[in-house]
Amino acid sequence: MDPLVHSFKTDISNIELPSQFNYPFYYQPHELAVLAAQQLQAYLEQQYQWFVANGTQEAGKMFGVLVVQDEKRNLGFLAGFSGKLGGETTQEHFVPPVYQLERVDQFFKQETDKLDAVTKQIAALENDPVNIQLIADYNAKAIAQTESLEREQERIKAIKRERRRLLKREKAVMETEAFKSFEARQRQLSLNNNFFLKEYEVYLEDKIATLKNQFESLQLELENLRSKRRKGSLWLQDWLFDEYNFLNARKETQNVKELFKNRIPDVPPAGTGDCAAPKMLQYAYAQNLKPITMAEFWYGPSPASKVRSHGNFYPACRSKCEPVLEFMLQGLDVEDNPLLENPAVDKELDIIFEDEHMLAVHKPAEFLSVAGKSITDSVQTRMKAKYPNATGPMIVHRLDMSTSGILLVAKTMEAYHHLQQQFLKRTVEKRYVAVLNGHLEKESGFIDLPLRVDLDNRPCQLVDFEFGKSARTRFEVIERNDHKTKVHFFPITGRTHQLRVHAAHVDGLNAPIVGDDLYGTTDSRLHLHAEQIIFEHPLSRKRITLNVPAPFDFTA
């Protein structure tokens, strides 16, 4: 058998094969994929050069397993990794990259060596003590010049203000002809001041002209080198994409640039085709192996930004892999995309409060707050159908589709604006109840982790202290058992997936919410419920408190 097709070390004779290949962007791993992943993880545990301090691979990484069947119907599995492992694109035990290694690696190394040489030139210029001193001297002189000019401008402005007051006083006491002469002299003095200011600005510029020329010359040299590196990198990436020709189950071939041609953006993101899934499928098709089922898992430490737990299974990334896998899976019998199925069918919205201005509903889990791209059934569409004479958007705030709980709905535009302002000013008090996978030691606390969307894997969010939006949550422990913790969450801000990320992230509570299929592991449902809300009624201005108990239990 092919040395890269690994035999199962456990008896799999009684395991039934899946009837369809799993949809890679939302799946429960098949038993065969779980066994393959466990076997691969056991192999990784024996590779002492990786995932240790000062090793060749310290950071965690996404790995994949693809269960395959050969022409004699023998089962085995392929193993793959995303990107590089230990700084290399190829490693023993794992499938190779999609492109032709012999042709690409030598040329790619030559070109990357050129780019590395440019990077070294940039670093040499930036770290040169003479240049460091030049930049410091110029910045100090430029700041001093600006401050001197601003002081002189303020002095002349003060003189002008005093001159206007003087003209006003003298006009009241002087004869007309005498005042005209006086006013002309003052106007000339003002022109003299303006001329002096321009001359002073030229004088200050001349003082640092030599230093400025040296500084600008250095900046131009650095920018030219950075531009050269940037253009070279883009050219090399484009050249490399010409080598990414993917196969599908029908043995058809398509280049990666063609796969992205009619998408936005129409250029493949860097790293497209280097994930585990396309590499494993490419190898299977090339070796006449039939894909049976696939799974990807994270191994090693969690990254600083994303929520990744050691050993957990994750779906394929969308921005890089969706166009590629849509093509590569053609010819296979693949499960339907469950995300296109309406999960709210046969679910009802219970009205827990209503008057002529507004109402509040209990939204079940797996029910959209507003219509999505593929599924239109939502709280918003049902409310508009139920109240055709209502004005305004109606939905004042949102809950994640998987989160159950109280949702406020406005019947009039006036009520909508009043309620919306309360959310914007954060005067609405919200309390969520959640069950976490993990034992929290602290009784209460505060989480402050800024969030932004993961551009490679929407709708997931990631922690980003540079570009993320402020996201703050207070929590209190209600109850514990050996494996789980029940908590109250009090969100101060209302970012997408805020409570889910704050619970799961290693710098948050490091305990994902039970049933979180994005940041933890799946269960019967997401155990997160918006159980209480306190707000001001849009007409009476009275504070109203609404409660709906959580529809899930806290059990061991």
Side-chain angles (χ1 to χ4, degrees):
M1 185 178 274
D2 187 320
L4 292 182
V5 180
H6 309 292
S7 299
F8 285 94
K9 294 182 179 180
T10 54
D11 182 14
I12 59 170
S13 58
N14 293 323
I15 299 177
E16 185 177 350
L17 297 184
S19 59
Q20 293 177 296
F21 192 83
N22 55 297
Y23 181 70
F25 302 103
Y26 194 91
Y27 64 91
Q28 280 292 310
H30 186 270
E31 186 178 355
L32 286 170
V34 173
L35 289 173
Q38 290 171 348
Q39 194 168 315
L40 177 56
Q41 289 169 15
Y43 169 81
L44 291 171
E45 288 170 4
Q46 301 301 314
Q47 307 309 304
Y48 302 112
Q49 73 276 28
W50 300 328
F51 309 110
V52 293
N54 301 316
T56 57
Q57 177 70 45
E58 293 186 42
K61 181 155 289 291
M62 196 72 78
F63 290 85
V65 289
L66 175 65
V67 179
V68 293
Q69 193 175 54
D70 66 15
E71 293 171 332
K72 296 180 180 179
R73 303 182 68 82
N74 296 314
L75 285 175
F77 69 90
L78 302 173
F81 56 83
S82 292
K84 293 183 178 181
L85 179 60
E88 301 293 336
T89 56
T90 59
Q91 290 286 355
E92 184 182 355
H93 200 82
F94 296 95
V95 297
V98 169
Y99 53 78
Q100 295 293 321
L101 283 170
E102 297 79 6
R103 168 176 160 72
V104 170
D105 278 2
Q106 184 177 2
F107 181 79
F108 190 76
K109 186 177 187 310
Q110 290 174 357
E111 295 303 311
T112 52
D113 285 347
K114 293 177 184 177
L115 294 176
D116 289 343
V118 176
T119 299
K120 288 178 181 177
Q121 284 181 271
I122 294 170
L125 287 172
E126 290 177 334
N127 297 323
D128 186 335
V130 174
N131 290 337
I132 291 172
Q133 189 61 50
L134 168 64
I135 293 169
D137 289 347
Y138 173 74
N139 287 334
K141 295 284 187 182
I143 291 171
Q145 177 198 26
T146 301
E147 290 174 347
S148 296
L149 186 61
E150 287 175 349
R151 282 195 299 270
E152 193 59 30
Q153 287 170 336
E154 284 301 317
R155 187 183 72 82
I156 290 175
K157 284 179 182 178
I159 291 172
K160 285 184 176 180
R161 287 193 295 270
E162 180 56 35
R163 186 174 290 121
R164 283 195 293 270
R165 286 193 290 268
L166 178 63
L167 285 169
K168 188 175 181 180
R169 287 197 306 269
E170 294 302 317
K171 186 177 182 180
V173 297
M174 293 180 72
E175 296 291 336
T176 302
E177 290 302 319
F179 178 75
K180 285 182 179 180
S181 177
F182 178 77
E183 185 180 34
R185 290 196 301 274
Q186 296 301 316
R187 190 179 299 115
Q188 184 60 50
L189 289 173
S190 181
L191 291 173
N192 292 346
N193 284 336
N194 289 339
F195 177 77
F196 168 79
L197 187 61
K198 289 178 181 178
E199 288 294 307
Y200 185 63
E201 188 173 0
V202 171
Y203 163 75
L204 292 175
E205 287 283 352
D206 287 343
K207 280 184 69 176
I208 65 167
T210 301
L211 195 60
K212 183 178 181 181
N213 288 337
Q214 293 172 345
F215 173 80
E216 289 180 345
S217 177
L218 173 62
Q219 294 304 310
L220 180 61
E221 186 176 3
L222 284 168
E223 181 52 39
N224 287 339
L225 287 170
R226 292 185 185 115
S227 177
K228 181 180 179 181
R229 181 177 61 181
R230 186 164 53 248
K231 290 176 181 177
S233 180
L234 290 172
W235 179 88
L236 184 58
Q237 181 69 80
D238 188 67
W239 176 88
L240 187 59
F241 279 147
D242 285 335
E243 304 299 316
Y244 279 77
N245 297 300
F246 297 99
L247 292 167
N248 64 18
R250 301 183 186 127
K251 292 300 178 74
E252 298 166 336
T253 303
Q254 188 76 276
N255 181 264
V256 66
K257 291 194 282 191
E258 287 297 316
L259 295 176
F260 280 82
K261 199 170 187 178
N262 297 317
R263 292 178 177 262
I264 300 175
D266 60 359
V267 177
T272 298
D274 293 332
C275 294
K279 290 199 288 188
M280 294 187 299
L281 286 168
Q282 183 83 354
Y283 189 84
Y285 294 142
Q287 303 302 318
N288 295 314
L289 300 168
K290 180 183 177 182
I292 302 298
T293 188
M294 180 171 65
E296 294 181 88
F297 63 88
W298 183 263
Y299 189 93
S302 176
S305 58
K306 296 185 179 182
V307 176
R308 291 286 184 264
S309 297
H310 177 72
N312 274 16
F313 291 98
Y314 292 94
C317 70
R318 287 193 173 274
S319 69
K320 298 175 184 177
C321 287
E322 190 168 33
V324 173
L325 295 185
E326 281 180 359
F327 171 76
M328 297 189 82
L329 294 177
Q330 290 177 21
L332 288 182
D333 184 11
V334 182
E335 294 172 348
D336 291 334
N337 179 359
L339 301 177
L340 297 179
E341 299 172 5
N342 179 13
V345 173
D346 299 328
K347 292 183 179 180
E348 298 296 329
L349 294 170
D350 293 331
I351 296 175
I352 62 171
F353 172 87
E354 183 174 14
D355 61 21
E356 64 270 31
H357 307 285
M358 62 164 293
L359 67 147
V361 299
H362 175 202
K363 184 188 85 68
E366 304 308 321
F367 201 123
L368 288 170
S369 295
V370 298
K373 290 182 179 179
S374 304
I375 301 171
T376 57
D377 189 14
S378 63
V379 176
Q380 185 180 46
T381 52
R382 292 201 188 184
M383 289 297 101
K384 284 185 175 293
K386 185 176 178 66
Y387 303 97
N389 296 323
T391 58
M394 298 191 75
I395 301 299
V396 181
H397 62 119
R398 302 183 188 187
L399 295 175
D400 288 345
M401 183 176 75
S402 298
T403 304
S404 59
I406 303 170
L407 203 62
L408 301 185
V409 181
K411 291 183 178 180
T412 67
M413 183 62 83
E414 293 76 16
Y416 172 81
H417 283 309
H418 185 82
L419 291 169
Q420 188 186 52
Q421 283 301 308
Q422 293 181 59
F423 280 96
L424 291 173
K425 294 177 180 177
R426 296 174 184 163
T427 59
V428 177
E429 299 176 43
K430 296 171 286 182
R431 188 179 76 199
Y432 290 71
V433 62
V435 179
L436 309 183
N437 260 323
H439 186 87
L440 297 191
E441 297 297 330
K442 295 176 68 175
E443 294 297 327
S444 61
F446 182 79
I447 307 162
D448 186 0
L449 295 174
L451 303 176
R452 69 166 175 84
V453 69
D454 184 349
L455 298 174
D456 290 332
N457 201 23
R458 297 174 185 270
C460 291
Q461 306 292 305
L462 51 78
V463 173
D464 188 335
F465 285 93
E466 184 176 2
F467 300 108
K469 293 182 179 179
S470 172
R472 292 167 289 152
T473 305
R474 185 168 63 85
F475 71 92
E476 293 177 359
V477 171
I478 307 168
E479 190 178 351
R480 296 182 181 88
N481 61 32
D482 290 340
H483 308 291
K484 294 184 175 69
T485 306
K486 187 177 183 181
V487 298
H488 275 152
F489 281 128
F490 303 89
I492 297 167
T493 54
R495 307 301 177 200
T496 301
H497 295 179
Q498 175 175 316
L499 302 181
R500 298 168 71 171
V501 177
H502 280 183
H505 196 273
V506 65
D507 293 328
L509 299 181
N510 198 24
I513 298 171
V514 172
D516 193 334
D517 55 3
L518 293 179
Y519 307 102
T521 54
T522 57
D523 202 280
S524 57
R525 60 155 290 169
L526 177 70
H527 284 55
L528 177 64
H529 176 73
E531 68 171 359
Q532 179 176 282
I533 190 166
I534 304 173
F535 62 97
E536 182 184 274
H537 189 275
L539 186 69
S540 70
R541 302 299 195 261
K542 291 182 179 179
R543 294 291 282 179
I544 294 177
T545 300
L546 300 176
N547 287 278
V548 173
F552 48 79
D553 296 324
F554 179 64
T555 55

